[in-house]
Amino acid sequence: MTFTEHTILITGGTSGIGLGFAKRFAELGNKVIITARNQVRLDTVLAENPDFAGFTSDIDDKNSVLELVNFIKTNFPELDVVMNSAGIMRALNLFEHSDGNLSALTEEIHTNLLGTIAVTQAFLPLLADNHGTVINVSSGLSNLADGAHPIYNLTKAGVHFYSDALREQAKYFGKNLRVVELVPPLVAETNLEEHASTDNPTNMKLSDLINEALVGLENDAERIDAGFAKILHQMGKSNSEENTSKLSAQMLGNYFPKEKGER
């Protein structure tokens, strides 16, 4: 089955994974609506992709999400797919954030986790009525903490468990809703964070991620572990404590290198 003739809303659709999927979905004959906070960037992407529709929305803001819902219900009542792709990723030294100011530590929580929940919950009635699909983008680091991205790790683990719970509730309550978790590794082309490199064998090309995801969507997969995320999934299930220590030692050294002689 080809993933076509759907009406798809993509958050974070002006860059990275969201924009990559928007372009491919449109090529396959789907109607694509993208949303993002930056009006200038949104206008630029819409000008470059005239087949897209778009709406400026801040998924961190309740009123903004409600405005997005009203826009979709008015203009695209046939909406049957929501892809939650908006996300941020930061390496953080927790010992540099011990002054009681939590704003720097909660940004990822608001965007990656609470934003995903807010958008999904807002569209659940419409999606269920339209026999729809939710695609939540988590991360290979939802399976195994890497030490360097503590808040990002927990938000993506939260997206994973929220997706599982939503899927099981949809089955239990007899709702016509499909819930898919897309689990990518680091994708260098997204520029999600500065240490991404196309030379790193654990990273994945965006085009390869999209191809793997489409195969999973067309085969009714509930969870799509792509590229190196498959290995991280296994590492999280077997000897997870040992694997966490090994991965964290490597990643912390990459992101927070110590001076020579420093312990």
Side-chain angles (χ1 to χ4, degrees), residues 60-114:
D60 295 344
D61 183 89
K62 177 182 178 181
N63 291 330
S64 185
V65 172
L66 291 177
E67 290 173 358
L68 174 62
V69 172
N70 290 334
F71 169 79
I72 294 295
K73 286 183 176 179
T74 300
N75 297 282
F76 304 98
E78 71 281 9
L79 181 82
D80 63 339
V81 179
V82 169
M83 181 175 188
N84 287 298
S85 179
I88 54 178
M89 178 182 187
R90 295 176 303 163
L92 294 171
N93 178 343
L94 294 175
F95 289 94
E96 294 179 350
H97 295 276
S98 57
D99 58 358
N101 183 359
L102 294 179
S103 59
L105 296 177
T106 57
E107 185 178 358
E108 288 162 293
I109 295 173
H110 284 284
T111 299
N112 300 356
L113 180 56
L114 298 182

Side-chain angles (χ1 to χ4, degrees), residues 162-211:
Y162 168 73
S163 300
D164 278 357
L166 178 60
R167 183 184 305 113
E168 295 307 315
Q169 288 203 13
K171 295 174 183 177
Y172 181 80
F173 292 113
K175 302 296 183 181
N176 292 307
L177 181 73
R178 179 183 176 194
V179 181
V180 179
E181 181 186 357
L182 174 60
V183 191
L186 191 60
V187 179
E189 296 152 277
T190 64
N191 295 317
L192 187 61
E193 53 102 87
E194 62 182 8
H195 281 69
S197 168
T198 53
D199 297 330
N200 189 330
T202 65
N203 293 343
M204 191 176 197
K205 290 183 179 180
L206 180 55
S207 59
D208 291 341
L209 171 65
I210 295 171
N211 289 337

Side-chain angles (χ1 to χ4, degrees), residues 8-43:
I8 306 172
L9 173 68
I10 302 178
T11 68
T14 59
S15 63
I17 289 174
L19 180 56
F21 273 90
K23 291 179 177 179
R24 183 67 68 84
F25 284 149
E27 290 172 359
L28 290 172
N30 298 286
K31 181 62 180 178
V32 174
I33 309 103
I34 60 173
T35 182
R37 287 182 287 192
N38 189 312
Q39 182 69 60
V40 174
R41 176 61 182 162
L42 181 64
D43 290 341

